[in-house]
Amino acid sequence: MGKTSPPNVGNLHDVELAALAAAGDRPAFGELVRRHGSAVRALLRRMGAQASVADDLAQDAFLQAFERVSEFRGEGPFAAWVKRIAARLYVRRWRKESRLVAATDEGEASEGHGGEAFVATRIDLDEALRALPASERMCISLCYGAGLSHAEAAEALGAPLGTVKSHVKRGLDKLRGRLAPQDGATASGRQGHG
């Protein structure tokens, strides 16, 4: 039998909610899910998960977080902690699916994202990320979305550190190119101030 939540759990800090949840307070943990669920799903989508997969993995991540909430010490944001759990779940799934794709059809997996990002005149970050090769998207999402260091991302992916760093650099270069203004307004604006 868990404690009952104070009526104003919405006013509590994440660390306080996590402490209550660790003591068995399910409504306190529910508030954490309400606060951070959409951010976790958004990270998973940016990593490449389809909406339904992102929903399932976010739910799994929060279940794991609930089981391990006593491990959360408040040394960083709760959102970052649960995002790491979700990212690792997605990486495991991605690696398993990658092995299956490689075993069934060696080469077809990298095609399919070509022209979508160029159809719209305005490209947002999600579209730009989807246009990246899966390895670059995954490394950028782990390092910048889930807050993992390059070394932690390398460990999660089972890849060499140098490979992760290369994927991040190449991916960021491609993102900068895709997200940069496409018209001459920026260049002419700079010339006028010289």
Side-chain angles (χ1 to χ4, degrees), residues 14-136:
D14 286 356
V15 175
E16 295 169 307
L17 291 170
L20 287 171
D25 189 331
R26 289 178 184 262
F29 193 79
E31 176 64 15
L32 289 168
V33 173
R34 187 195 65 74
R35 286 182 188 178
H36 305 296
S38 62
V40 171
R41 285 189 301 278
L43 168 68
L44 292 165
R45 293 292 307 270
R46 285 192 171 126
M47 292 177 76
Q50 297 296 319
S52 61
V53 173
D55 290 344
D56 290 346
L57 287 173
Q59 183 176 1
D60 291 346
F62 278 106
L63 285 171
Q64 279 191 20
F66 182 72
E67 292 170 358
R68 299 173 35 199
V69 72
S70 63
E71 297 172 21
F72 177 69
R73 302 281 183 242
E75 295 165 355
F78 181 84
W81 184 71
V82 76
K83 281 180 180 180
R84 285 177 183 234
I85 294 170
R88 286 189 171 109
L89 286 171
Y90 182 73
V91 167
R92 275 189 231 124
R93 181 183 181 115
W94 180 74
R95 289 175 75 188
K96 181 180 176 183
E97 288 175 358
S98 294
R99 284 192 299 268
L100 289 173
V101 168
T104 58
D105 192 359
E106 189 87 24
E108 197 175 271
S110 64
E111 302 199 16
H113 296 310
E116 291 176 16
F118 297 105
V119 174
T121 56
R122 183 174 161 216
I123 300 175
D124 69 15
L125 179 60
D126 290 333
E127 289 174 358
L129 279 166
R130 278 193 296 273
L132 293 176
S135 56
E136 291 172 6

